[in-house]
Amino acid sequence: MGRLEILKNLYRLITTGFLKKLMPRTLFARSILIVVLPILFLQILVTYIFYERHWDDVARRLAQGVAGDVATVISMIDRFPGNSAHAYILSAARGQMRLAISIDEGGKLPAGADEPKEYGFLESHLARALQESLPARPFVISTNKKLESVIILVQLPDALLQVIVHDKRLFSTTTYIFVMWMVAISLALLSIALLFLRNQMRPIRQLAAAAEQFGKGQFVDDFKSSGAQEIRQASRAFHVMKHRILRQITQRTEMLAGVSHDLRTPLTRMKLQLAMMPDDGDKSSLEGDVADMEQMVEGYLAFARGQEAEAVETADLSELFHEIINNARRQGTAISLKTPRELSVSIRPNSFKRCITNLINNGARHATEIWVEVGSDDADVIITIDDDGPGIPKENRDDVFRPFYRLDPSRNTETGGSGLGMTIARDVIHGHGGQIALGTSPVGGLRIEIRLPK
């Protein structure tokens, strides 16, 4: 398989999403991975080069030095026979060559010494060096249990030479020093990088928390921009956006206060004039029109006023639903409730109560019985409202959330209201950071599912 084919397979592996599943999800973990992987690859590369080149060369040269000293001692023993000469040679080897040498007169190598053996890293270098220095001498290499020394047995014509080489002559201490320094420096650099990344992640988390809080309609204090330049820019843009939205909400509220006064004043005058008119058919018709106009004005104002004036507080959702259901039952609605004993959540109680009341009233207008269930999972509070009415066709379920949209084409408020109930309910749910969806109920009518974050 060529390099081009390997690159193609690697590209397919990345694009299939296999590596994406192995990647951590948080930015902090991915940043750590970006920092750790180069350091890890660098250490592996440096260690490979060091062990493959430097340590191999050092070990070979040390082995050659030991093999040369052993060959020198054997040459001197052969050149100068006699016990006194041998004693002098062995004493000089111990003092000057740091070799513990002894001669066993008449000794023989163990059986099977001539057979090839598998040596370790240092033993293999030493064996090759001895073969070069002592081509005609059989020998055996072994190590003690604590790996503090290497024992070399060399067969002489009429004796067995034993050489004990201490680890200082075969091992380079710079190897361990290099590895320890490399690991220590890498850990220090990694700690500094982690501290720096953690400080960079803090303003991102702060911005994300503020955006989520503001998205739920909660009040968010201005915070000081910190971190990298891009993060500071995003924080400043968030503050500008927040103040622009709040200013728009304030202007809308002030405008609606004036609209409310201007619309209610002529309606009040019309109601007063109708009260002074004689009772006849025209008066009843006009009173009905004025009542419808007043109801529509209140609906429009409720839609436009929104929920910005109410503060968020922790409320018991079970208690709130019991209150809503009891009010609905007093109005003659056949409704049942299934809810846990206690379920605390951060909401705007009045706005949320108005939202659920609108949904129940809509269901009561078209159905004979309503079922409400409140539950929760690990992340959300789940509210389902089922009824046995005609339901809403699938193609119209998105349209009912549009302002002033009514399934009934007539504008009769007795059959369809003002067309703002579902719109207000959706705005309230979205203002709490939740979602609302319509579906088909198991009993054949409409199912409304609401999800609120805990």
Side-chain angles (χ1 to χ4, degrees), residues 39 42-43 46-47 50-51 173-190:
I39 294 178
L42 179 62
Q43 284 192 353
V46 171
T47 303
F50 177 80
Y51 279 96
T173 57
T174 57
T175 301
Y176 304 103
I177 295 175
F178 171 77
V179 172
M180 287 189 294
W181 269 103
M182 182 175 64
V183 173
I185 293 175
S186 299
L187 291 177
L189 293 177
L190 182 60

Side-chain angles (χ1 to χ4, degrees), residues 255-269 297 301:
M255 179 191 69
L256 292 175
V259 171
S260 175
H261 179 270
D262 293 341
L263 289 177
R264 287 174 177 172
T265 300
L267 282 175
T268 302
R269 290 199 302 264
V297 168
L301 292 176

Side-chain angles (χ1 to χ4, degrees), residues 246-256:
L246 292 176
R247 185 167 58 251
Q248 181 181 5
I249 293 174
T250 302
Q251 291 175 352
R252 187 186 67 174
T253 303
E254 294 175 351
M255 179 191 69
L256 292 175

